[in-house]
Amino acid sequence: MEKITFRFGTLHDIVSLQELFVDTIKRICIQDYSAEQVAVWSSSSENMQRWTQVLTEQYVLIAALNNSIVGFCTLAEGRYIDLFFVHKDYQGQKIASQLYQYIEAEARRQNTDRLTADVSKTAKPFFIKMGFTTVKEQEVILKNVPFINYKMVKMITPNQNFACFGL
């Protein structure tokens, strides 16, 4: 298997990230959400202002294979995992675990004592495996369609001297 590389996301990645976001929701999350929920959720990729804001204001980490994006995650304000998606063809290959390790290292570097995330039903088992606990189940309404997701948290030890794997 080819080696996965990691790099920071830029505005040039918007279209690729949006495509991966939509495809993952439509192919993977459909197992846990209705067709209506998937359609509404994936349509949020059309909000260019939001995507531009993510790429200019958050720590965006990309996993790539042969210059193709196979996963990405974002960290807002040093403590909130906002987006976390792995390409449908690369699920179960430890890409998410590697992305997570980089994100936690960055949070530690930013002297954060906890990571939080609003996690889908699909992603909840992964976050539990990474040491997160569920704070509460919540109902989110998007375009008048209700979704269940989970507020999750993980306490970490801040360390400003923690190297971020050379990125």
Side-chain angles (χ1 to χ4, degrees):
M1 183 173 152
E2 302 278 337
K3 183 174 163 86
I4 303 293
T5 59
F6 297 88
R7 65 175 177 81
F8 299 114
T10 71
L11 287 171
H12 298 290
D13 297 311
I14 284 181
V15 172
S16 296
L17 296 179
Q18 288 169 311
E19 288 171 357
L20 191 149
F21 172 85
V22 169
D23 194 47
T24 303
I25 292 168
K26 288 184 173 181
R27 301 290 184 99
I28 302 298
C29 300
I30 192 73
Q31 301 166 25
D32 297 305
Y33 293 93
S34 72
E36 179 185 31
Q37 289 169 321
V38 164
V40 168
W41 184 8
S42 63
S43 75
S44 64
S45 69
E46 299 163 9
N47 183 342
M48 284 302 285
Q49 180 180 355
R50 160 101 163 101
W51 283 87
T52 300
Q53 199 169 23
V54 165
L55 281 157
T56 57
E57 297 177 11
Q58 294 186 26
Y59 179 91
V60 179
L61 186 62
I62 289 175
L65 179 63
N66 298 326
N67 295 320
S68 293
I69 296 173
V70 296
F72 74 97
C73 58
T74 71
L75 184 67
E77 299 175 0
R79 68 181 171 277
Y80 178 71
I81 298 174
D82 187 9
L83 299 168
F84 202 123
F85 290 87
V86 173
H87 189 284
K88 66 177 175 52
D89 295 337
Y90 295 91
Q91 300 276 316
Q93 296 184 26
K94 302 204 182 295
I95 293 168
S97 297
Q98 292 176 67
L99 283 167
Y100 175 76
Q101 293 304 316
Y102 281 114
I103 286 294
E104 185 174 310
E106 176 60 18
R108 288 176 190 277
R109 190 193 68 74
Q110 291 189 34
N111 210 29
T112 300
D113 66 352
R114 76 183 66 208
L115 283 168
T116 61
D118 294 307
V119 176
S120 69
K121 292 177 186 179
T122 310
K124 185 180 179 187
F126 169 78
F127 278 83
I128 290 170
K129 184 177 170 187
M130 294 298 108
F132 282 73
T133 57
T134 304
V135 174
K136 68 178 178 178
E137 181 177 301
Q138 48 195 12
E139 183 179 75
V140 178
I141 308 295
L142 183 61
K143 296 183 180 177
N144 296 318
V145 176
F147 292 79
I148 297 296
N149 73 9
Y150 305 91
K151 174 69 72 183
M152 298 187 79
V153 66
K154 179 180 180 181
M155 301 307 292
I156 61 173
T157 304
N159 182 354
Q160 291 183 322
N161 296 322
F162 197 82
C164 193
F165 301 99
L167 281 179

